[in-house]
Amino acid sequence: MSDCLFCKIIAGEIPCNKVYEDGNFLAFHDIHPKAPTHVLVIPKTHLVSLADATEADSALLGQMMDRVRYIADVELNLEVGYRVIINVRAGGGQEVDHIHVHILGGKTLPF
Ligand code: 5GP
Ligand code: ZN
């Protein structure tokens, strides 16, 4: 989607600090980290939010969570633990309308 920030990052039009990439997913450091480690995992296909997903997206969502586990454990070495967040639509704090999973870690997280 041409006016989507994360699609532009996927296309290489906007730089990112990349952590992981495969044919279907990209992970990169959040530009305003809210924990010592704060990484975003996104699918390369434009899906607006979890609320916009359908059953047809089940495989994609499952694969995305599998990548989240791999990236947290293997790429980021967060064996001690981490938090996974998906903000959904404006009321849930979603600012970028391309579904993304936040991985937060690197310290003991509050509540
Ligand atoms: P949301 O609030 O939509 O769940 O999360 C969007 C996240 O994207 C925010 O944590 C914000 O800091 C991050 N972000 C916004 N613009 C950029 C950018 O250009 N590059 C990177 N790496 N992260 C961004
Ligand atoms: Zn997009």
Side-chain angles (χ1 to χ4, degrees), residues 10-30:
I10 291 161
E13 295 167 13
I14 294 174
C16 72
N17 188 356
K18 187 164 70 177
V19 171
Y20 172 87
E21 182 172 16
D22 63 26
N24 296 321
F25 300 95
L26 176 67
F28 52 91
H29 289 278
D30 195 293

Side-chain angles (χ1 to χ4, degrees), residues 33-38 76-83 103-111:
K34 294 170 184 68
T37 299
H38 187 173
L76 302 174
N77 299 309
L78 295 174
E79 296 91 350
V80 69
Y82 52 91
R83 182 167 298 164
I103 301 175
L104 295 153
K107 67 173 184 181
T108 302
L109 297 162
F111 62 84

Side-chain angles (χ1 to χ4, degrees), residues 1-10 42-48 96-99:
M1 201 184 177
S2 59
D3 63 346
C4 169
L5 173 67
F6 285 174
C7 282
K8 287 179 180 170
I9 289 178
I10 291 161
I42 64 175
K44 289 187 172 178
T45 53
H46 181 84
L47 174 62
V48 172
V96 179
D97 287 337
H98 181 129
I99 190 169

